[in-house]
């Protein structure tokens, strides 16, 4: 059975590069009927934290990735936190095995200068340990070559003289990354290690450990890192990089995961898709070895496609949850939630046509949700339209026409066009004067739909409020 793993360290928020790695592992496991395992590599005890571990779970679930085995999903290889495995003595047996095979040795350090080596030993140096010297275990690289097959990069060959000997156990007894990863991958039956090419430098060391133990190594695949526009690894200097950042910025998980799937996987047809529906099309042979650039504008465009395709009832739920989670305008959220289902969905449908994120959607919905005396007028509207000499006549005429026609999208359009005809002001001036009168803004969803979804009473109240300001300005 195919068994793959995603093994993040809980030392910070989950990076989108890590999520992409998890995505490709997940898709490979689901395509092959295998298992996707979540392992927490928390041996960096100074930087690891429970809060970051919880954030990893939350981020993966938000992204739509589930796991078959993990810290909160016990399986045959439990536990799935490395420090728990350390405390259970999992690694000690394998330290001892390498030492016994004379493929690793103890290193003793000076008490005065803990970084200075003073001796090595094939046996545990009790006499030094009893005197308080720090002890580590080092793995010496043998002579010759190290070779392994990479599914993306082909046969990899390293001259061992270019590789440095490395520690496998710290002085506190905790295994270093390369050792713990090899032991855990072997014991957990990992068949494929799909990860970023920043781990390529670790691969020859890990290959040497597999050889020293006499174990069959998993198949490796090192995928190109996600780069910023300056072709350096994507980091905060390029913009937001964590899953949490994109979630809080109003991206849909479907949009983010769609975009990440395109960064390294060659898709044959439409590039807008739900990743879970493309599992059967996924293949490691379609992975690319080319560098991939994170394009924030492309991500936003793809997210916009998902925003408009999302079933409106699902979007309403996601929108409400996003406003609640980010704590933005909770009063208007209450107003939104009190709308009838039909009115709520109509509002979202007209507002999402011109936006790409939930944050932008929120900005578009605000004028409809604020109280009639709360919404502000944009300075440009005030200057160009509300202060114009024809503003009062246009608004008075519009009220008359609107009151005489059915309150429907068609009736609203006719009222606006009759107002333009009777005042001689032209459709642009009429439309923009009325648009700003009911929303305070120059750019909104379609005007007919905006007036309709607002409701006749609210629309008339807002027009009358604007008229009173126009009259007040005229008197002044």
């Amino acid at each position: 059975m195919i068994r793959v793993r995603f093994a993040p360290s809980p030392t910070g928020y989950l990076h989108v590069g890590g999520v992409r790695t998890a995505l490709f592992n997940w898709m490979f496991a689901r395509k092959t009927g295998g298992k996707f395992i979540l392992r927490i590599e928390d041996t960096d005890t100074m930087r690891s934290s429970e809060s970051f571990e919880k954030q990893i779970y939350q981020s993966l679930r938000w992204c739509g990735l589930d796991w078959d085995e993990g810290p909160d999903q016990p399986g045959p290889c439990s536990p799935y936190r490395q420090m728990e495995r350390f405390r259970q003595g999992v690694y000690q047996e394998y330290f001892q095995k390498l030492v016994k095979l004379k493929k690793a040795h103890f290193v003793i350090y000076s008490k005065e200068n803990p970084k200075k080596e003073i001796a090595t030993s094939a046996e545990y140096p009790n006499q030094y340990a009893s005197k308080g010297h720090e002890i580590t275990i080092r793995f010496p690289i043998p002579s010759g070559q190290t070779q392994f097959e990479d599914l993306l990069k082909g046969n990899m060959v390293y001259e061992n003289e270019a590789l440095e000997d490395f520690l496998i156990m710290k002085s506190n007894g905790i295994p270093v990354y390369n050792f713990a990863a090899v032991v855990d991958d072997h014991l957990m039956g990992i068949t494929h290690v799909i990860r970023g090419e920043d781990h390529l430098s670790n691969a020859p060391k890990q290959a040497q450990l597999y050889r020293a133990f006499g174990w069959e190594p998993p198949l490796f695949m090192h995928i190109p890192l996600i780069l910023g526009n300056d072709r350096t690894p994507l980091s905060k200097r390029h913009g937001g990089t964590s899953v949490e950042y994109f979630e809080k910025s109003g991206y849909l998980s479907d949009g983010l995961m769609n975009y990440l799937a395109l960064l390294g996987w060659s898709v044959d047809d439409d590039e807008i898709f739900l990743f879970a529906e493309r599992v059967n099309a996924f293949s490691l042979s379609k992975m690319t070895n080319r560098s991939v650039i994170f394009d924030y504008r492309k991500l936003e465009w793809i997210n916009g496609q998902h925003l408009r395709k999302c079933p409106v009832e699902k979007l309403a739920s996601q929108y409400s949850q996003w406003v609640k989670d980010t704590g933005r305008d909770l009063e208007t959220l209450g107003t939104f939630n009190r709308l009838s289902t039909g009115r709520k969905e109509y509002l979202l449908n007209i507002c999402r046509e011109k936006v790409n994120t939930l944050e932008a959607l929120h900005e578009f919905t605000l004028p409809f949700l604020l109280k009639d005396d709360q919404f502000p007028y944009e300075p440009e509207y005030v200057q160009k339209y509300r202060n114009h000499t024809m503003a009062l006549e246009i608004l008075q005429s519009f009220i008359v026409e609107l009151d005489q026609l059915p309150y429907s999208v068609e009736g609203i359009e006719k009222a606006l066009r009759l107002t333009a005809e009777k005042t001689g002001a032209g459709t642009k001036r009429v439309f923009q004067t009325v648009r700003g009168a009911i929303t305070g803004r120059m750019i909104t969803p379609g005007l007919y739909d905006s007036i309709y979804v607002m409701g006749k009473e609210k629309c008339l109240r807002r027009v009358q409020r604007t008229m009173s300001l126009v009259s007040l300005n005229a008197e002044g």
Side-chain angles (χ1 to χ4, degrees):
M1 177 183 286
I2 297 296
R3 288 176 63 84
V4 293
R5 48 77 164 176
F6 177 56
S9 297
T11 55
Y13 293 107
L14 191 56
H15 192 280
V16 288
V19 174
R20 183 191 61 156
T21 297
L23 169 63
F24 292 147
N25 277 279
W26 184 91
M27 293 193 78
F28 183 53
R30 297 294 176 258
K31 168 68 179 291
T32 59
K35 299 293 184 181
F36 176 61
I37 296 153
L38 176 62
R39 186 172 74 222
I40 299 297
E41 298 192 338
D42 55 352
T43 55
D44 185 347
T45 55
M46 295 296 291
R47 297 172 59 220
S48 296
S49 76
E50 184 179 346
S51 62
F52 282 133
E53 182 179 328
K54 289 180 179 178
Q55 187 65 47
I56 288 171
Y57 300 152
Q58 192 276 330
S59 293
L60 288 174
R61 289 191 176 104
W62 180 80
C63 289
L65 299 176
D66 59 335
W67 46 96
D68 303 295
E69 301 170 28
D72 62 344
Q73 190 77 14
C77 302
S78 294
Y80 294 90
R81 291 186 188 88
Q82 286 187 332
M83 284 307 293
E84 285 185 43
R85 297 172 69 77
F86 166 69
R87 285 189 285 270
Q88 289 186 8
V90 170
Y91 308 108
Q92 190 62 32
E93 173 187 348
Y94 297 96
F95 289 140
Q96 293 172 355
K97 184 172 183 178
L98 286 185
V99 171
K100 187 175 182 179
L101 291 170
K102 300 189 183 306
K103 294 183 177 180
H105 55 251
F106 294 97
V107 181
I108 302 100
Y109 298 84
S110 166
K111 289 174 65 176
E112 292 72 27
N113 182 4
K115 293 184 179 180
K116 182 181 178 182
E117 296 181 18
I118 59 173
T120 61
S121 174
E123 304 289 338
Y124 186 73
N126 285 301
Q127 70 276 24
Y128 285 100
S130 63
K131 295 177 181 178
H133 289 266
E134 292 192 353
I135 312 294
T136 64
I137 299 178
R138 182 162 57 207
F139 181 88
I141 298 290
S143 59
Q145 292 181 329
T146 300
Q147 297 187 44
F148 63 90
E149 189 71 19
D150 187 286
L151 294 174
L152 193 59
K153 302 180 183 301
N155 188 43
M156 306 295 293
V157 180
Y158 295 82
E159 296 298 330
N160 287 356
E161 63 182 18
L163 304 176
E164 294 183 352
D165 299 348
F166 60 96
L167 295 182
I168 59 174
M169 187 193 80
K170 305 173 191 177
S171 59
N172 56 9
I174 295 175
V176 300
Y177 164 75
N178 284 310
F179 184 85
V182 165
V183 171
D184 288 344
D185 284 346
H186 174 73
L187 295 180
M188 293 181 181
I190 301 302
T191 60
H192 296 70
V193 173
I194 304 167
R195 59 188 180 183
E197 64 182 10
D198 53 329
H199 284 285
L200 198 55
S201 61
N202 294 317
K205 297 176 183 178
Q206 294 175 5
Q208 280 293 337
L209 286 171
Y210 277 104
R211 181 182 300 175
F213 281 119
W215 296 338
E216 184 70 24
L219 294 173
F220 289 104
M221 175 179 272
H222 293 88
I223 58 179
L225 299 181
I226 298 177
L227 307 179
N229 53 17
D230 59 357
R231 305 192 73 80
T232 61
L234 186 69
S235 66
K236 290 180 180 179
R237 69 176 175 274
H238 301 111
T241 61
S242 69
V243 173
E244 186 192 47
Y245 165 81
F246 290 104
E247 182 181 2
K248 287 186 174 179
S249 297
Y251 287 82
L252 303 179
S253 61
D254 289 340
L256 178 63
M257 297 302 280
N258 183 168
Y259 180 61
L260 291 178
L262 298 174
L263 297 182
W265 176 33
S266 298
V267 179
D268 294 331
D269 45 15
D270 184 12
E271 64 178 2
I272 304 301
F273 55 84
L274 298 174
F275 76 90
E277 296 179 357
R278 290 292 183 91
V279 166
N280 290 334
F282 183 78
S283 171
L284 294 182
S285 65
K286 293 183 179 180
M287 300 290 288
T288 177
N289 197 29
R290 297 190 302 271
S291 297
V292 290
I293 308 295
F294 196 91
D295 185 336
Y296 288 87
R297 288 193 293 182
K298 179 67 176 290
L299 166 62
E300 185 177 316
W301 178 81
I302 287 176
N303 197 73
Q305 302 305 304
H306 282 276
L307 193 72
R308 284 177 277 286
K309 287 186 174 185
C310 182
V312 69
E313 64 276 8
K314 178 181 176 182
L315 181 62
S317 175
Q318 291 184 327
Y319 171 74
S320 295
Q321 190 63 48
W322 178 81
V323 175
K324 182 179 178 182
D325 290 345
T326 56
R328 306 191 187 193
D329 302 296
L330 294 180
E331 185 176 347
T332 60
L333 175 60
T335 303
F336 176 79
N337 287 334
R338 286 191 295 273
L339 295 176
S340 67
T341 300
R343 184 64 60 86
K344 191 185 300 182
E345 293 180 355
Y346 197 104
L347 176 60
L348 291 181
N349 271 328
I350 66 171
C351 288
R352 66 176 169 176
E353 290 305 313
K354 295 183 179 181
V355 300
N356 290 325
T357 66
L358 292 176
E359 187 167 40
L361 179 65
H362 179 60
E363 284 301 311
F364 253 52
T365 61
L366 267 182
F368 300 91
L369 303 174
L370 290 170
K371 293 180 180 178
D372 297 338
D373 59 352
Q374 283 184 334
F375 74 90
Y377 296 91
E378 290 179 344
E380 184 180 2
Y381 169 71
V382 174
Q383 182 180 352
K384 286 186 176 182
Y385 297 98
R386 202 183 77 183
N387 286 350
H388 193 271
T389 54
M390 293 196 70
L392 193 59
E393 182 183 355
I394 289 170
L395 295 176
Q396 287 173 333
S397 178
F398 174 67
I399 286 178
V400 171
E401 300 301 336
L402 187 66
D403 199 45
Q404 294 176 352
L405 292 164
Y407 197 77
S408 62
V409 172
E410 295 76 15
I412 290 165
E413 178 183 4
K414 189 171 183 181
L416 286 164
R417 295 194 181 281
L418 283 173
T419 298
E421 181 183 326
K422 292 182 178 180
T423 60
T427 55
K428 180 179 179 181
R429 179 159 297 281
V430 168
F431 283 24
Q432 289 297 76
T433 301
V434 173
R435 186 191 309 276
I438 65 169
T439 67
R441 299 186 179 185
M442 300 281 288
I443 299 175
T444 68
L447 182 56
Y448 313 146
D449 286 316
S450 294
I451 294 172
Y452 178 72
V453 77
M454 192 167 287
K456 186 173 183 179
E457 290 184 5
K458 176 178 280 194
C459 176
L460 291 175
R461 286 198 305 269
R462 291 188 171 196
V463 171
Q464 288 164 351
R465 175 202 179 200
T466 305
M467 286 171 57
S468 66
L469 294 172
V470 171
S471 299
L472 187 63
N473 181 66
E475 292 173 5

